[in-house]
Amino acid sequence: MTGRPGFEALAPFFRIVGEGLSGLVEGADFFDTLAEEVVFEYVVSVPGYPRSVVGREAVAELYRGYGETMVLHSSDELAVHRDREASVVVLEYAVHGLAVSTGRAYDNRFVSVITINDRKITHWRDYLDPTAVFDAVGWPTRGK
């Protein structure tokens, strides 16, 4: 699975998700595997990131600026769990890269709970380690 031009910073993410969903979804690239009205939920995330996004193009727009913050160089530790009756796939995986602003290493683990209907992703619920993000880009300061 690939991404659209302009999303090269996410190539390792697209690769590991493609490996985990191999044979289950159809599309020319990651975004084409998403149903038109897909719902993405970010359950455990970082402050300022949306809790949910609806629609294929809205997801693409959210990820469009990713390379300005992080550039991934690899992904690994894939575990795939399937519930065939519910059309749900759970992917566990890790991504590795660099934070653009600090040059610090970025290593994070994800759990993505994905619902598939008619060979398209209709729902994606994501969990990540926010500490890994802050260790890479810097910790937010609290206002006084």
Side-chain angles (χ1 to χ4, degrees):
M1 185 180 305
T2 63
R4 296 178 182 172
F7 292 88
E8 292 81 8
L10 283 160
F13 164 76
F14 297 141
R15 184 196 59 74
I16 200 120
V17 168
E19 184 179 333
L21 298 179
S22 179
L24 302 175
V25 296
E26 292 178 349
D29 63 38
F30 172 78
F31 298 107
D32 288 339
T33 67
L34 306 179
E36 189 67 36
E37 294 301 317
V38 67
V39 174
F40 268 59
E41 290 183 276
Y42 302 96
V43 180
V44 177
S45 190
V46 295
Y49 209 73
R51 287 293 175 190
S52 68
V53 176
V54 178
R56 176 189 307 145
E57 292 308 316
V59 172
E61 192 57 36
L62 177 65
Y63 289 169
R64 186 171 311 285
Y66 189 86
E68 296 169 15
T69 305
M70 299 281 188
V71 175
L72 302 180
H73 56 71
S74 65
S75 56
D76 54 23
E77 300 183 39
L78 177 64
V80 180
H81 313 278
R82 291 180 62 184
D83 180 339
R84 294 177 197 280
E85 302 230 351
S87 298
V88 172
V89 178
V90 176
L91 301 181
E92 298 179 69
Y93 53 96
V95 299
H96 313 282
L98 288 174
V100 174
S101 64
T102 65
R104 291 186 199 138
Y106 173 62
D107 298 290
N108 208 336
R109 296 184 53 82
F110 291 79
V111 174
S112 299
V113 181
I114 302 162
T115 304
I116 300 169
N117 289 302
D118 297 323
R119 301 188 61 79
K120 295 289 183 186
I121 297 167
T122 58
H123 192 264
W124 184 295
R125 191 168 46 247
D126 226 18
Y127 301 82
L128 64 81
D129 178 4
T131 302
V133 175
F134 297 140
D135 284 347
V137 299
W139 285 78
T141 57
R142 293 189 177 185
K144 292 185 181 192

